[in-house]
Amino acid sequence: MTTSSPANTPLSYKDAGVDIDAGDALVERIKPLAKKTMREGVLAGIGGFGALFEVPKRYKEPVLVSGTDGVGTKLKLAFEWQMHDTVGIDLVAMSVNDVLVQGAEPLFFLDYFACGKLDVDTAAAVVGGIAKGCELSGCALIGGETAEMPGMYPAGEYDLAGFAVGAVEKSKILTGANVQPGDVVLGLASHGVHSNGFSLVRKCIERAAGSLPATLDGLPFKDAIMKPTRLYVKNVLAALAAHPIKALAHITGGGLLENIPRVLPDGTAAHLTKGSWPQTELFAWLQATAGIDDFEMNRTFNNGIGMVVVVAADHADATAATLRAAGEQVYTIGRIAERGTGAPVEVA
């Protein structure tokens, strides 16, 4: 037998599952985190109905570049393992790294956090990661939305989306149009899986459930799997200011095989040299556990290369030196060639 409240019993929003006080408490926790990300151009940030940003006056012909993304099924492991403090960095990185490949400087970021029941500590940990990602990439966390929607998400789960806006001088937009045969392909090391391919990662964890390695690449297993996406923004912007880089490709869903062709002109292909960058213990474990070949690895995961830089051969060494001096692990992974009848990206 079920019972219900009498029709004349007052019902608050909290009775319906939405805690306004918890939302207010979260906003107060977020404000000092967002304050650390403030930069030139912010006119009004968190707290208003809309955030205001003025494009810095140093731009003569600014073109705005926008990007949006989420974290994907990596969140399922964050829920299971109670590791919420780094997925916010993933959220930021997936958008600002995409904006970066157009040659743009990320200016500001907005987030969307949705859950069934708001847990202030969990949400604050997530947003703390978002703020950290913004701080590391030099963009302002200027606003966002926290949505508490009872019945929409299972207990303890949430979803994330992020939105980045950057700017680039019109004359400096990177399109890859001037990439040509003979150019060098540099690869910047990833931090691990980043935030793509986690449906397969989770299947590997299920398959190896009784024999998971204790460590991978010197980190506890769970830390290695959850290591956040590398933020390439500051180091690559410095390289762009110093060298005539022709194209950049962020290696996300689709891996090396699907992302590099997005910045290649018709009639060209990238010939990558197998073994020119090391396979980490993490990717070796994933490949062995999944039982897949190199082709499938290179179109599923970043496989150790999170950002690709295409530059003329006579600028390759200097560009690599600048990036290494800034802290990047840089490998010469291939060259651009005429397309012919082969695939747009070949690894041999």
Side-chain angles (χ1 to χ4, degrees), residues 1-340:
M1 179 177 178
T2 60
T3 60
S4 58
S5 301
N8 60 351
T9 300
L11 280 174
S12 69
Y13 209 8
K14 187 172 184 178
D15 293 327
V18 179
D19 190 340
I20 295 173
D21 292 334
D24 291 343
L26 177 61
V27 171
E28 292 306 309
R29 299 248 314 247
I30 289 171
K31 282 181 178 179
L33 302 177
K35 188 175 181 180
K36 291 181 180 179
T37 73
M38 291 301 101
R39 50 158 295 158
E40 61 170 333
V42 178
L43 301 181
I46 288 175
F49 286 98
L52 302 177
F53 192 96
E54 180 180 37
V55 177
K57 292 181 172 58
R58 54 189 164 82
Y59 286 97
K60 296 174 182 174
E61 289 186 289
V63 173
L64 297 181
V65 182
S66 60
T68 183
D69 213 331
V71 180
T73 59
K74 187 175 187 177
L75 290 180
K76 299 291 283 185
L77 294 179
F79 307 150
E80 182 180 344
W81 294 343
Q82 290 295 296
M83 298 175 72
H84 305 290
D85 56 341
T86 58
V87 290
I89 297 176
D90 284 304
L91 183 68
V92 175
M94 295 305 291
S95 288
V96 298
N97 285 342
D98 278 356
V99 167
L100 172 67
V101 301
Q102 318 296 314
E105 168 197 11
L107 298 176
F108 59 86
F109 188 85
L110 298 95
D111 69 285
Y112 176 77
F113 178 100
C115 60
K117 180 174 176 55
L118 181 62
D119 181 289
V120 175
D121 289 339
T122 297
V126 173
V127 177
I130 294 171
K132 184 67 173 177
C134 287
E135 190 177 352
L136 291 173
S137 55
C139 68
L141 177 56
I142 201 172
E145 170 70 7
T146 301
E148 188 175 23
M149 299 183 287
M152 288 289 288
Y153 297 91
E157 297 193 3
Y158 53 83
D159 199 10
L160 295 173
F163 313 88
V165 174
V168 60
E169 289 286 4
K170 191 172 184 179
S171 61
K172 295 182 178 180
I173 297 173
L174 289 184
T175 66
N178 60 340
V179 170
Q180 61 187 14
D183 289 343
V184 170
V185 182
L186 302 176
L188 309 188
S190 69
H191 268 171
V193 185
H194 285 180
S195 191
N196 299 103
F198 268 85
S199 294
L200 182 53
V201 170
R202 288 166 50 236
K203 285 292 184 183
C204 288
I205 292 170
E206 289 176 14
R207 176 176 284 188
S211 58
L212 294 174
T215 64
L216 288 170
D217 301 308
L219 293 173
F221 177 78
K222 291 180 180 179
D223 290 340
I225 294 291
M226 295 298 288
K227 194 169 184 179
T229 307
R230 185 166 177 80
L231 290 152
Y232 297 99
V233 174
K234 289 186 177 180
N235 293 343
V236 171
L237 284 176
L240 281 168
H243 306 285
I245 290 170
K246 294 186 175 186
L248 298 166
H250 184 202
I251 310 305
T252 56
L256 291 160
L257 303 187
E258 300 289 336
N259 285 291
I260 295 176
R262 297 167 69 180
V263 299
L264 297 181
D266 291 342
T268 62
H271 289 183
L272 307 185
T273 304
K274 183 178 178 179
S276 57
W277 72 96
Q279 185 180 47
T280 64
E281 291 179 4
L282 170 57
F283 286 111
W285 177 80
L286 287 169
Q287 184 168 15
T289 305
I292 56 178
D293 60 18
D294 290 345
F295 177 83
E296 193 68 17
M297 284 293 291
N298 283 324
R299 75 168 185 172
T300 303
F301 300 113
N302 67 59
N303 215 9
I305 299 295
M307 182 71 71
V308 160
V309 180
V310 182
V311 64
D314 55 350
H315 293 286
D317 288 345
T319 302
T322 295
L323 288 163
R324 288 190 184 105
E328 299 294 339
Q329 289 179 273
V330 187
Y331 305 97
T332 300
I333 64 173
R335 287 186 176 265
I336 304 299
E338 291 185 5
R339 170 73 182 271

